[in-house]
Amino acid sequence: MALPQGRRSSNVTRLLRHGFTDPSAARRLLNAPELAGVCGDPVLLDGLLDALGATADPDLALRRLVRLVEALPEAPGDGDDEGCADSRQTLLDALVTARPIRDRLLGVLGVSEALGDHLARHPRHWQALLAYEPTAPHPTASGFERALAEGIWG
């Protein structure tokens, strides 16, 4: 169905309301097969969009999330060079069932391209966020980055 000139689809408007500056790219990424387990369910998609919209840069967070999921093996122990016992499904399950972990991960992915690149190169390092317990209810970005680095290299 064609939209009247000057009107946007509700999906585009929805993405814009969540802070995406490139809704067509966001829509393509949300339709990526790697995110099908989350984005195929409207309730789970709503939660993911809300969490992405709460990040500093939703477009960056979504791009890095897809890149991280792509870097993980499809099943535990599948051809990874770091001996990672993690899988895509483990991460996707955490995104769906553990809101604090999801918010931490997306917060990192949406604020730092370098940390997103690091996680794509070393996908098992996302698990450092599982044990992160901030001492302050709202840690600063630098404090969060320091704690993440300590958890990975400490």
Side-chain angles (χ1 to χ4, degrees):
M1 174 178 153
L3 294 171
Q5 184 140 343
R7 306 243 3 226
R8 295 177 184 230
S9 77
S10 61
N11 287 334
V12 169
T13 302
R14 181 180 185 197
L15 293 170
L16 289 170
R17 273 195 323 264
H18 281 92
F20 291 93
T21 58
D22 188 350
S24 60
R27 189 173 29 195
R28 279 192 308 276
L29 290 169
L30 289 167
N31 288 325
E34 293 82 9
L35 295 182
V38 175
C39 296
D41 181 318
V43 173
L44 299 179
L45 176 60
D46 284 344
L48 180 61
L49 287 175
D50 288 343
L52 286 164
T55 66
D57 184 341
D59 296 286
L60 178 63
L62 180 56
R63 282 193 311 272
R64 294 300 179 224
L65 174 63
V66 171
R67 190 166 171 222
L68 171 59
V69 173
E70 287 172 343
L72 287 165
E74 290 189 38
D78 277 0
D80 57 89
D81 58 352
E82 292 190 26
C84 174
D86 200 6
S87 69
R88 288 179 185 176
Q89 195 57 51
T90 303
L91 174 59
L92 294 175
D93 289 345
L95 289 174
V96 170
T97 62
R99 184 176 176 195
I101 294 166
R102 178 196 68 199
D103 293 347
R104 288 177 198 150
L105 177 61
L106 294 179
V108 167
L109 296 175
V111 76
S112 174
E113 195 160 343
L115 282 173
D117 288 344
H118 172 85
L119 288 174
R121 284 190 307 274
H122 308 283
R124 69 182 175 91
H125 289 180
W126 78 268
Q127 294 180 340
L129 299 170
L130 296 172
Y132 177 71
E133 291 298 329
T135 55
H138 302 287
T140 63
S142 62
F144 187 77
E145 289 173 353
R146 187 174 46 259
L148 179 62
E150 290 169 2
I152 293 172
W153 296 292

